[in-house]
Amino acid sequence: MATELRAAELTVLHAACLLDQGRCTRADTSMAKLFATEMVGRVTDQAVQNFGGMGLMEDMPIERLWRDARVERIWEGTSEIQRDIIGRDLVRPREH
Ligand SMILES: Cc1cc2nc3c(=O)[nH]c(=O)nc-3n(C[C@H](O)[C@H](O)[C@H](O)COP(=O)(O)OP(=O)(O)OC[C@H]3O[C@@H](n4cnc5c(N)ncnc54)[C@H](O)[C@@H]3O)c2cc1C
């Protein structure tokens, strides 16, 4: 889980760095959004699993984090749309 968080953080920082340098592509930002939001789903799901039944109780914060994480794959561009953007960007002829 910590490794997944680190990987997502670095992917986002990589896109931000490219943006600062004026070299950021649509695929770079879509990869960051796709990976980070899919990661938060996996990590919160694992957190629920770690706590067993208690993880799903409303008096624990984990259930709320898991539920809130779900929307991240939908708003600001769904995962499917991010994949579409990445795919199109990768096959698009490069302008040199
Ligand atoms: C809690 C919440 C808050 C929101 N807040 C805002 C807000 O403040 N401002 C705002 O503008 N919007 C907001 N939205 C809307 C959000 O941006 C949309 O829900 C999101 O863009 C997805 O659009 P949709 O719900 O119409 O799904 P649809 O476009 O109907 O898509 C349904 C499914 O089909 C898939 N799909 C659609 N087209 C394709 C395609 N071409 N290829 C492959 N798969 C495809 C989608 O990925 C999705 O899985 C919010 C949504 C939620 C749930």
Side-chain angles (χ1 to χ4, degrees):
M1 291 159 76
T3 306
E4 289 236 58
L5 284 163
R6 176 71 57 81
E9 184 180 8
L10 291 176
T11 307
V12 171
L13 287 174
H14 179 65
C17 182
L18 291 174
L19 192 64
D20 281 348
Q21 295 169 2
R23 298 193 296 125
C24 192
T25 67
R26 286 159 56 86
D28 293 321
T29 50
S30 284
M31 284 180 193
K33 202 279 180 179
L34 175 67
F35 187 78
T37 57
E38 299 252 325
M39 176 280 300
V40 81
R42 289 191 296 274
V43 167
T44 54
D45 189 77
Q46 185 61 52
V48 170
Q49 193 70 21
N50 289 355
F51 280 80
M54 280 306 293
L56 285 172
M57 296 296 108
E58 281 187 11
D59 45 0
M60 293 278 283
I62 298 162
E63 175 272 340
R64 181 63 196 266
L65 292 171
W66 175 65
R67 193 152 40 91
D68 283 352
R70 189 61 186 87
V71 77
E72 301 296 342
R73 283 185 273 160
I74 295 174
W75 61 13
E76 304 285 343
T78 64
S79 288
E80 289 75 22
I81 296 303
Q82 304 305 334
R83 288 190 178 92
D84 188 59
I85 292 169
I86 294 164
R88 286 172 192 268
D89 210 56
L90 291 178
V91 298
R92 182 170 55 88
R94 294 281 143 197
E95 294 137 16
H96 293 293

